[in-house]
Amino acid sequence: MFAVHLMAFYFTKLKEDQIKKVDRFLYHMRLSNEALLDIMTRFQAEMQKGLGKDTHPTASVKMLPTFVRAIPDGSENGEFLSLDLGGSKFRVLKVQVSEEGKQTVQMESQFYPTPNEIIRGNGSELFEYVADCLADFMNTKGLKHKKLPLGLTFSFPCRQTKLEEGVLLSWTKKFKARGIQDTDVVSRLTKAIKNHKDIDVDILALVNDTVGTMMTCAYDDPYCEVGVIIGTGTNACYMEELSNIDLVEGDEGRMCINTEWGAFGDDGALEDIRTEFDRDLDLGSLNPGKQLFEKMISGLYLGELVRLILVKMAKAGLLFGGKKSSSLHTKGKIETRHVAAMEKYKEGLANTREILTDLGLDPSEADCVAVQHVCTIVSFRSANLCAAALAAILTRLRENKKLMRLRTTVGVDGTLYKIHPQYPKRLHKVVRKLVPNCDVRFLLSESGSTKGAAMVTAVASRVQAQRKLIDQVLALFQLTREQLVDVQDKMRAELEYGLKRDTHLLATVKMLPTYVCGMPDGTEKGKFLALDLGGTNFRVLLVKIRSGRRSVRMYNKIFAIPLEIMQGTGEELFDHIVQCIADFLDYMGLKGAQLPLGFTFSFPCRQTGIDKGTLIEWTKGFKATDCEGEDMVDMLREAIKRRNEFDLDIVAVVNDTVGTMMTCAYEDPKCEIGLIAGTGSNMCYMEDMKNIELVEEDEGRMCINTEWGGFGDNGCIDGIRTQYDKEVDEGSLNPGKQRYEKMTSGMYLGEIVRQILIDLTKQGLLFRGQISERLRTRGIFETKFLSQIESDRLALLQVRRILQQLGLDSTCEDSVVVKEVCGAVSRRAAQLCGAGMAAIVEKRRKDQGLEHLTITVGVDGTLYKLHPHFSSILQETVKELAPQCDVTFMLSEDGSGKGAALITAVAKRLQQAQEN
């Protein structure tokens, strides 16, 4: 018993001594936590350099765009071919991806050798060999007369400009075929395949093996957005925000970046951690000075590193009694599989003895312990370095998503990771220590990168088919110049119909006289009350106008109009309005003051005087009964009488569009047009009295409220209305009415988008084909969301958050499509608005017989003010359709309040002038 304990003690002591001896000798190979965090920071800086346009050429970590923009979503189906060239064997694969509600993948494959004379010979012969193997496989599997999409896994650094194109930057591993570098490998392979007349394949994707690994794992786990290879070579890829990739046009969505991290340190960034053994190994390699990070990590080099260390230790008399063998001196004699065998938990020491004996050595027990520890240090350093770079990628992903904590999956493949008994455990542990704020799952790629190439091809063909269908929908909203000119011409015709007595009743653009005949001249002064009714809020304002300095001061209070009042009786509505006026006068201490009042009433009215306005019809959700056909000023006066508390001098009833024009005209005398592009859409302008047949006088000018929202109610623009416009119209409060407004105003654009999203989801093109209850809810997609989603400053991540608020669980790809849909709908709205405006300015130019017209348009409305692109598209359209008109757009500050007061002030001034 004592002897057993003594032996155990002796062996433990021997082991400790040997381990200490090796630790001292390989001190520089052991990396502390601080050193790993420092490497992680260096790698993050290298990634940034690789992504930047100016720094990319000198970056050692190339961060190559792969043009893989989407990961599998489970709806892929079909038959695909895949080739895998890059390792010790070449593989051809047929992949059947089934749908039918199940994610199943069936594969048949065949391996072909890659002889040295082929991979280091003439480049053309290499691709001819690959094409021969493909033809052989298709013949064996009975696929010769089928046209099949093909994905090529090509495990070497390539610069891609599209998914199906890639220029080889440099060979790595043992490949050295001549005449291929700096050429497109897809076109080289296509050319070789064309020699086989009996096979028909379409190369849809060129994929790096790392990308293939990520895609294979992403098919099983949608959280997978990183791929890592730790095998013969090493590399990583991940999904990066397109906005961060300077080398690729566009900033919508994500793209997989092939880091080519094997070259990290080629610029000297890792010199302080490289050892004499790393330098010796590099000098004896096929590519000295290149792939320095890979040479410290990957399976092609670990065995050789161990061999070089053993030679040095033997020379120093620390191993084998100072004796060496010719085999130990022979390059490549220790392979990574030997390192893995020596590190096995129980039989490791026995394996070590056997391997060393095969090398012609006579190792002692102590030698075996020491050699095993050398293997541990070399492979542990490999896992540590890999973990530091991977932790940098995970940190970048988390920061891109602006998350406190990231949940993600890393797809892993490679012989070193698979066969080394301790490697995965070590890697996982160090990664989790370096990024404690990331919940990382490591998923072993079952079928390797070849299945991944097929998955990329399957995704590419799915995306291609989906893109075609999405483009068909978006095309409905893309108006040609001819269509816009047609809208302009038809609007011009409708304006003329509306002005003429004989055609006025049939005109869709009503061209209502407002009896506003003068513009502000700067002499207006006094205190005025203004009312503003046009939406769910009602405002009462006190406006103080001072002459000379053109200064206007306003005090206002906002009151809500409940739905039951909006859709109750007319008497209830006006009693509520008078109650609000009473509250305001009380609040301002003006009870009993008799002030002139201007009433902004933003609904279509037929006026017979500046203070007479008969409501034609309610819009914007109002439905109060007993109002249509009645004079709104009379109804307000009646309500004031019923209250019997105060009396007001109602001087003018005004449309908000006219108020907007007057507000801007107070600042700029050239302002003769008013435009509202907000909840509703309308336009007014100053017309020569002689052209207005509904008014008796011929002298001077009068403001015409066009009420252009009804343009097209006679079917004249049905050619550009889509099924989505029709659905929105049918579901509205006034079907068949205000068709132009329903294509151009804020109240409806969000609803058009919602109808499109429902249709795309039904076709399986969005939200995984799942229509949420929220998406079914009318009005849920407000126009303010369009403005937010289309903001240039908004990353897709924020777009996803907006969609999540709406109960829509979107992928990154969904967010891109939603943004495109919003853009198409709002662009069309702005162009249609611009075509209408072009009709007006051209009419004014021709009426005045001018070669060139200079005019200002006063504009108000949330759509124009808040949408990031609406105003610029509208202005571009006007410029294009009315090139002889120099149109300035001026934003109105509170047109509906200040404007009503100014119209009242001008009316008072003109009234007094007449009396005098």
Side-chain angles (χ1 to χ4, degrees), residues 835-901:
M837 181 57 71
I840 300 282
V841 294
E842 269 299 296
K843 171 178 163 48
R844 292 305 296 139
R845 184 183 70 79
K846 286 179 180 169
D847 284 353
Q848 292 171 58
L850 295 172
E851 185 66 34
H852 196 89
L853 172 73
T854 301
I855 198 164
T856 298
V857 177
V859 199
D860 203 352
T862 47
L863 186 58
Y864 188 91
K865 283 180 173 174
L866 302 180
H867 190 282
H869 308 300
F870 188 93
S871 57
S872 57
I873 295 166
L874 186 151
Q875 290 171 30
E876 281 164 23
T877 308
V878 174
K879 204 170 186 176
E880 190 183 339
L881 299 182
Q884 288 163 274
C885 301
D886 183 7
V887 185
T888 302
F889 288 82
M890 182 181 182
L891 264 182
S892 158
E893 288 176 42
D894 195 23
S896 42
K898 184 174 165 183

Side-chain angles (χ1 to χ4, degrees), residues 529-543 554 556-561 573 576-577 580-581 584 597-603 620 622 636 652-657 659-660 676 860 893-901:
L529 268 186
L531 310 180
D532 177 13
L533 179 70
T536 49
N537 290 329
F538 169 64
R539 280 193 314 156
V540 187
L541 304 94
L542 174 68
V543 183
M554 294 187 291
N556 73 83
K557 203 166 182 196
I558 296 172
F559 302 89
I561 300 201
L573 174 63
H576 179 75
I577 287 169
C580 297
I581 297 169
F584 180 76
L597 180 144
F599 183 14
T600 299
F601 187 75
S602 309
F603 302 93
K620 296 181 242 184
F622 277 73
L636 179 59
V653 61
V654 226
N655 182 279
D656 56 346
T657 323
T660 294
I676 295 281
D860 203 352
E893 288 176 42
D894 195 23
S896 42
K898 184 174 165 183

Side-chain angles (χ1 to χ4, degrees), residues 476-490:
L476 300 172
F477 291 85
Q478 287 154 6
L479 301 176
T480 62
R481 192 178 192 282
E482 289 67 33
Q483 286 173 313
L484 289 169
V485 168
D486 187 49
V487 170
Q488 181 185 6
D489 294 344
K490 284 173 176 167

Side-chain angles (χ1 to χ4, degrees), residues 569-626:
T569 67
E571 201 169 282
E572 287 166 344
L573 174 63
F574 280 94
D575 284 347
H576 179 75
I577 287 169
V578 171
Q579 174 66 57
C580 297
I581 297 169
D583 289 351
F584 180 76
L585 292 173
D586 215 16
Y587 170 73
M588 293 299 295
L590 290 170
K591 242 181 180 170
Q594 206 184 13
L595 296 170
L597 180 144
F599 183 14
T600 299
F601 187 75
S602 309
F603 302 93
C605 280
R606 184 166 284 108
Q607 288 187 254
T608 51
I610 196 163
D611 62 345
K612 297 182 190 319
T614 303
L615 176 65
I616 296 171
E617 64 181 343
W618 284 118
T619 56
K620 296 181 242 184
F622 277 73
K623 276 282 183 189
T625 57
D626 310 320

Side-chain angles (χ1 to χ4, degrees), residues 68 70-82 94-99 103-106 148-152 163 202-207 215-216 219 449-467:
V68 171
I71 58 173
D73 67 359
S75 67
E76 292 77 16
N77 70 324
E79 216 171 14
F80 305 93
L81 286 172
S82 182
K94 187 197 98 172
V95 181
Q96 175 74 50
V97 184
S98 316
E99 196 187 8
Q103 281 184 238
T104 59
V105 179
Q106 293 168 327
L148 292 173
L150 181 141
L152 169 62
L163 184 58
D202 186 9
I203 304 176
L204 283 190
L206 172 72
V207 189
M215 292 298 266
T216 301
Y219 188 67
S449 50
T450 326
K451 175 183 166 187
M455 290 317 307
V456 173
T457 311
V459 170
S461 56
R462 164 177 66 80
V463 169
Q464 224 174 47
Q466 288 178 341
R467 187 71 251 175

Side-chain angles (χ1 to χ4, degrees), residues 526-530 541-547 549-556 584 588 666-667 894 897-898 901-902:
K527 286 183 188 174
F528 303 89
L529 268 186
L541 304 94
L542 174 68
V543 183
K544 293 180 181 177
I545 303 174
R546 293 167 72 181
S547 64
R549 284 190 305 165
R550 287 191 182 241
S551 95
V552 177
R553 291 182 72 184
M554 294 187 291
Y555 310 88
N556 73 83
F584 180 76
M588 293 299 295
Y666 189 62
E667 308 291 333
D894 195 23
K898 184 174 165 183
L902 283 165

